[in-house]
Amino acid sequence: MRETPEDLKELQALLDASLSRSTPHLRSIVTTERTLTAEQLTQVLTGMCTLALSTVTAKGEPRISGVDGHFLHGKWHFGTAPGAAKARHLAARPAVSAAHMRGEDLGVFTHGTVEILNPRHGERDAGWPDLLAYLKSFYGDDFFDWDNDVVYYRLRPHWMTVYAPDVDKLTAASRS
């Protein structure tokens, strides 16, 4: 677990606030018995988690694609090629939605705004060196030309909810 106590506190506050301002329908599905705490979530979302990422075109048309998501410090991080359509969409319209689902066992749904961590022509985010070290340890040092082949984003969530119908099963699987 890479989260600090402050990260966990912020994430728990986000999860609680998001659920409290959700519709009655969603609150009937995502109950306290069918969700995860911030600490449980960070224990379950380890390594690479495939995200369905939704962006919007200039015409307002939705686009969805898959990205390698890494949940670190209570936020999703993901990358794409600088020339990818989603990179253009994100540069112009940084609002996104992301979903990570594991069959019927887990659903993590997030809405927020992305920020570029390693712009090609600009100042890199203060957290980029730590993220880059993590990514190199995960993918290998020579997986990409990290300065030219990939642009990485942090998704700053303003809404996030978690559906986990069998919390004990899910958290037991993450411990084994």
Side-chain angles (χ1 to χ4, degrees):
M1 189 169 84
R2 298 174 183 276
E3 284 69 25
T4 66
E6 185 60 30
D7 292 335
L8 291 173
K9 183 179 173 182
E10 287 178 23
L11 179 58
Q12 190 62 56
L14 174 69
L15 293 171
D16 293 343
S18 298
L19 193 55
S20 74
R21 63 182 192 260
S22 294
T23 64
H25 173 71
L26 183 61
R27 287 193 311 270
S28 75
I29 297 167
V30 180
T31 63
T32 55
E33 297 81 27
R34 293 188 294 228
T35 193
L36 299 176
T37 65
E39 187 170 351
Q40 290 169 324
L41 184 61
T42 60
Q43 292 170 356
V44 169
L45 296 180
T46 59
M48 193 278 288
C49 302
T50 304
L51 293 179
L53 182 77
S54 180
T55 61
V56 180
T57 68
K59 293 181 179 180
E61 297 169 333
R63 294 293 183 263
I64 193 162
S65 62
V67 295
D68 289 6
H70 296 269
F71 197 73
L72 306 164
H73 301 289
K75 296 171 185 65
W76 288 112
H77 298 76
F78 63 91
T80 192
K86 76 173 80 58
R88 289 191 313 274
H89 298 167
L90 295 171
R93 293 162 301 282
V96 300
S97 294
H100 171 67
M101 296 186 290
R102 296 182 188 169
E104 296 178 4
D105 294 332
L106 177 66
V108 181
F109 306 96
T110 308
H111 306 302
T113 304
V114 298
E115 52 197 15
I116 299 173
L117 301 177
N118 63 331
R120 293 175 94 182
H121 307 291
E123 189 174 332
R124 293 171 186 234
D125 185 88
W128 174 243
D130 288 338
L131 179 62
L132 181 58
Y134 163 83
L135 294 168
K136 285 182 176 182
S137 73
F138 187 83
Y139 292 108
D141 195 23
D142 59 351
F143 191 70
F144 289 115
D145 173 350
W146 293 96
D147 292 324
N148 296 303
D149 292 348
V150 65
V151 59
Y152 261 85
Y153 301 87
R154 177 188 303 120
L155 170 48
R156 289 212 176 266
H158 60 76
W159 188 91
M160 181 185 292
T161 194
V162 180
Y163 174 70
D166 190 340
V167 173
D168 292 335
K169 176 184 167 187
L170 191 61
T171 56
S174 70
R175 289 190 298 267
S176 49

